Amino acid sequence: MQRGQRLLTDAKIKSAVKKPGNYNDGDGLRLKVSHSRKSHWAVRYSINKRETETSIGSYPSMSLLNARKRKDEIKLLGKQGLSPAEIKAAEASNKKAKLLRENSIFKACALKLIEKKRSQWTNKKHAAQWLSTLEQHVFPKLGHLSVSDIGIQDVVTTLEPIWVNIPETANRVRQRIESIIDYAIVMELRSEKFNPARWKNNLEHVLAQQKVRPHHHNSLAYRRLPSLIKVINGKSSISATALQFCILTASRTTPIRLARWADIDFDQKIWTIPAEFLKDKSRNFRVPLTPQLTALLKKIRINDSPWVFCSPKDSSRAISGDTLRQHLLNHYPKEFIRTQPVNNCSTFITVHGFRSTFRVWASEQTTRSNEVIELSLQHKVRNPVEAAYQRSDLLERRRDLLFEWNKFCFSECA
């Protein structure tokens, strides 16, 4: 057979694959048919003056025409002293290196971390807030850099323009940069284990001392609350009932809007808030139901929605995160929801502020212990030693306090 002469055709191959054997096409290419009738292409070529053979694919997945093209490529590589295995390994290595470079870019790490955290956040605004602060303050300076190349000076340069002027935002930004770099370290995208965005024993010695003013939610004086409850009690909307339920339980808004009928035990008179809906996600929290709260719940249980406070437009969804705030600001006379003027400026109370109203009332008008009051507000015991010994949630003592609070709230209702 002359060099380069081709012996196989598509018709010959269809006949050849019916019985085992080696079928030459010439110039080192052959079709091998096993006893199990499986067929594959093999190429015999020379590399560094040594004859060798390699498999290039199965038939019919690789056609005769493509097998010939691949054979020519391999023989050319052999003349250059390269084997297909070496080329494949080099290509895989280059692909891995490229992927590593792309994934280790700070912005890519940030977006991946946000996606991973998204399922943990009960409030969808968190993802938007993370992304907006990073896009505004971080990505222009760090977004294009590899996480391995980011050092203390890069972080300082990013934070300095906002560190003194908007300290609260700056602190959140620093924490988010630290979280992103921590993620990169865990994913082995950053070889150095030190996090340049760390505060303790690091940035605290570099950045200027901030003057952060404590932020307090505007609250209603507790003596004015019964008058407001009387007005709220006169409304029949889901929003009004949810607001009333929020005030009477001294709860945060997220557990209220995400309350489910499955978590309500009317027999035991307990509402169990799942840990995922709480600020402290370590365990579920039991809220005792007073007669007033039970009456509210039974009044609105009129549909098959899984949510206690479902959207009026779609009962398969809970009310939105801003529902209570909008309802409070838009449906009540200003004399009820406007705070006392400070520096000639008056502001409006917040839904969260009712927790402060409860706290002040409990301290001034009851003899309950601080421990019971703090637990009623779902506050975590800060002292680790005290927390270790406090195994009870003091449910019945909190039930008594909540009963007294509800009675006070309804004191002006008929």
Side-chain angles (χ1 to χ4, degrees):
M1 180 178 64
Q2 294 180 358
R3 187 175 181 82
Q5 182 181 358
R6 293 173 174 176
L7 301 179
L8 295 179
T9 63
D10 288 329
K12 287 182 179 180
I13 292 173
K14 289 180 181 178
S15 176
V17 295
K18 295 178 181 179
K19 61 180 180 178
N22 295 333
Y23 300 91
N24 291 322
D25 185 52
D27 200 21
L29 178 63
R30 68 178 64 184
L31 179 68
K32 292 187 173 185
V33 182
S34 68
H35 288 284
S36 61
R37 305 293 174 83
K38 291 183 179 180
S39 309
H40 74 274
W41 297 102
V43 174
R44 191 160 186 81
Y45 67 104
S46 176
I47 178 171
N48 297 326
K49 298 181 180 181
R50 291 181 59 185
E51 289 290 319
T52 186
E53 186 175 276
T54 185
S55 177
I56 60 172
S58 61
Y59 178 85
S61 297
M62 179 178 281
S63 66
L64 173 60
L65 179 62
N66 288 335
R68 286 170 175 168
K69 289 180 179 179
R70 183 60 180 152
K71 177 261 300 180
D72 292 338
E73 293 171 355
I74 289 174
K75 292 178 78 69
L76 181 60
L77 289 172
K79 290 179 181 179
Q80 298 171 356
L82 301 171
S83 70
E86 291 172 332
I87 294 297
K88 188 175 181 179
E91 289 175 346
S93 178
N94 290 337
K95 185 177 180 180
K96 184 177 180 180
K98 181 182 178 183
L99 190 62
L100 184 63
R101 286 195 301 272
E102 290 174 351
N103 288 337
S104 65
I105 298 300
F106 182 87
K107 184 174 182 179
C109 287
L111 297 178
K112 286 181 180 294
L113 180 60
I114 290 173
E115 281 306 307
K116 288 183 180 295
K117 283 182 170 289
R118 196 181 296 273
S119 62
Q120 305 170 17
W121 289 325
T122 54
N123 190 337
K124 293 181 179 180
K125 289 183 179 180
H126 283 314
Q129 290 169 347
W130 260 69
L131 193 55
S132 64
T133 54
L134 292 174
E135 286 178 338
Q136 184 177 358
H137 304 296
V138 182
F139 288 164
K141 294 181 180 178
L142 301 182
H144 63 287
L145 297 179
S146 167
V147 286
S148 292
D149 296 335
I150 294 175
I152 294 175
Q153 192 55 50
D154 297 304
V155 178
V156 170
T157 302
T158 302
L159 293 174
E160 276 184 333
I162 60 174
W163 191 251
V164 175
N165 297 329
I166 43 176
E168 290 183 9
T169 299
N171 273 302
R172 292 193 190 99
V173 169
R174 185 203 64 76
Q175 291 167 6
R176 288 164 189 173
I177 296 173
E178 183 178 15
S179 295
I180 293 163
I181 297 178
D182 275 343
Y183 166 78
I185 292 172
V186 170
M187 297 302 293
E188 298 182 345
L189 299 173
R190 178 183 169 92
S191 55
E192 186 181 353
K193 304 303 180 185
F194 172 72
N195 192 324
R198 191 179 70 193
W199 176 252
K200 192 170 179 61
N201 295 324
N202 185 44
L203 293 182
E204 65 175 337
H205 301 305
V206 180
L207 291 169
Q209 187 69 34
Q210 293 175 318
K211 295 181 180 179
V212 182
R213 290 176 295 179
H215 173 68
H216 299 294
H217 292 274
N218 294 326
S219 60
L220 183 69
Y222 68 82
R223 289 182 177 83
R224 300 176 61 205
L225 181 59
S227 298
L228 178 60
I229 289 291
K230 184 178 181 180
V231 178
I232 300 175
N233 199 45
K235 298 183 181 295
S236 58
S237 68
I238 284 289
S239 300
T241 306
L243 177 61
Q244 202 169 352
F245 197 83
C246 187
I247 297 171
L248 296 177
T249 57
S251 294
R252 295 182 175 89
T253 55
T254 296
I256 294 295
R257 73 179 194 85
L258 297 179
R260 302 173 299 197
W261 288 115
D263 301 323
I264 305 291
D265 186 336
F266 284 103
D267 293 331
Q268 298 296 321
K269 296 181 175 55
I270 292 173
W271 165 39
T272 301
I273 306 176
E276 60 186 299
F277 299 155
L278 294 166
K279 190 173 183 179
D280 172 21
K281 301 184 184 300
S282 61
R283 59 181 178 177
N284 297 346
F285 184 82
R286 298 190 300 170
V287 178
L289 296 178
T290 64
Q292 293 89 342
L293 291 169
T294 302
L296 280 178
L297 292 173
K298 289 184 176 180
K299 183 176 69 173
I300 61 173
R301 194 166 193 180
I302 55 175
N303 54 50
D304 296 328
S305 173
W307 307 104
V308 175
F309 304 109
C310 60
S311 167
K313 296 181 180 179
D314 182 0
S315 62
S316 66
R317 295 189 298 110
I319 57 175
S320 68
D322 203 37
T323 297
L324 298 188
R325 186 184 72 87
Q326 290 290 348
H327 178 77
L328 177 65
L329 294 180
N330 298 327
H331 291 82
Y332 299 97
K334 296 298 184 289
E335 61 265 23
F336 282 116
I337 61 174
R338 195 188 297 271
T339 61
Q340 295 298 321
V342 178
N343 296 328
N344 296 322
C345 295
S346 60
T347 55
F348 294 99
I349 61 175
T350 65
V351 178
H352 194 88
F354 287 116
R355 286 165 54 81
S356 177
T357 302
F358 168 81
R359 185 66 177 84
V360 176
W361 168 85
S363 297
E364 293 188 0
Q365 298 296 315
T366 77
T367 57
R368 310 293 173 174
S369 69
N370 185 65
E371 185 181 27
V372 171
I373 296 172
E374 289 298 300
L375 270 175
S376 297
L377 289 165
Q378 303 162 26
H379 284 164
K380 191 174 182 179
V381 179
R382 295 187 179 277
N383 186 312
V385 176
E386 186 179 340
Y389 285 95
Q390 180 52 273
R391 307 291 174 87
S392 170
D393 64 359
L394 306 178
L395 180 68
E396 294 309 317
R397 291 170 65 184
R398 288 190 292 112
R399 189 188 298 277
D400 292 341
L401 175 60
L402 216 57
F403 179 85
E404 196 173 341
W405 167 244
N406 285 193
K407 183 179 179 181
F408 165 74
C409 289
F410 279 94
S411 58
E412 290 190 15
C413 297

